[in-house]
Amino acid sequence: MTTKHPKLLIIDDDAHLRESLAEVLELDGFECHQAGAAKDGIAAASKLDPNIVIMDIQLPDSSGFQICQELRKRSKTTILIMMTGRFLSSEEKKQGFELGADEYITKPFDLAELSARIKQLLSRNAAKG
C-alpha cells in the first residue's frame, strides 16, 4: 500500500531557497516540484495539479499576485501560500487574500513552522471536502 504524498510546487527565482525548501519539505512527506519563474510555475501547476503552491511575490516575469489569481481560477482547493522578503502593507495582504491566497510567510522563516502551517491547511481542506 502506498501513501499518497501531498504535491507541493515552489515558485521562486532563488534556486538556493527553492532547493532548500524542497529538500526539507520532502523529508516531511511532501512530493516537491520547483519552478524558477511565473510562466513555468503556472505551466507546472496545470500539469501537476498540486495540493499546495508556495510562490514568491516578486518574480522577474510576473508577480505572485498574478500567479495567485491565475491559479485560483483553475482550482478552488489548491492551497496558495505567498512568500515575501519585504514588509507588506495591509493593503497588499488584503489584495492577496482577495485574489485567493490562503497564507503569507515572510522570509526568513522557520521551515518547521512552515511545514506545520501547510499540514494544518491541508487538514482543514480535508475536513471541508
Side-chain angles (χ1 to χ4, degrees), residues 55 63-73 75-76 80 82 91-102 104:
M55 70 204 87
S63 79
F65 294 114
Q66 289 168 309
I67 301 170
C68 185
Q69 185 175 27
E70 182 66 33
L71 296 181
R72 185 52 74 215
K73 278 187 221 161
S75 168
K76 299 289 177 233
L80 302 176
M82 308 280 273
E91 205 45 51
E92 287 172 305
K93 282 189 174 180
K94 181 175 166 268
Q95 178 190 5
F97 285 128
E98 286 171 351
L99 293 173
D102 293 294
Y104 276 97

Side-chain angles (χ1 to χ4, degrees), residues 2-60:
T2 57
T3 315
K4 189 173 176 270
H5 295 291
K7 276 189 274 188
L8 190 142
L9 174 62
I10 302 160
I11 307 171
D12 196 315
D13 58 320
D14 179 340
H16 179 71
L17 177 67
R18 269 197 332 264
E19 287 159 16
S20 300
L21 262 175
E23 200 174 298
V24 171
L25 293 170
E26 279 173 357
L27 291 172
D28 252 351
F30 296 97
E31 177 190 317
C32 294
H33 302 270
Q34 302 177 38
K39 196 176 110 194
D40 298 339
I42 290 168
S46 298
K47 198 173 82 185
L48 296 165
D49 189 26
N51 304 91
I52 308 109
V53 178
I54 300 173
M55 70 204 87
D56 192 11
I57 288 180
Q58 291 180 293
L59 292 159

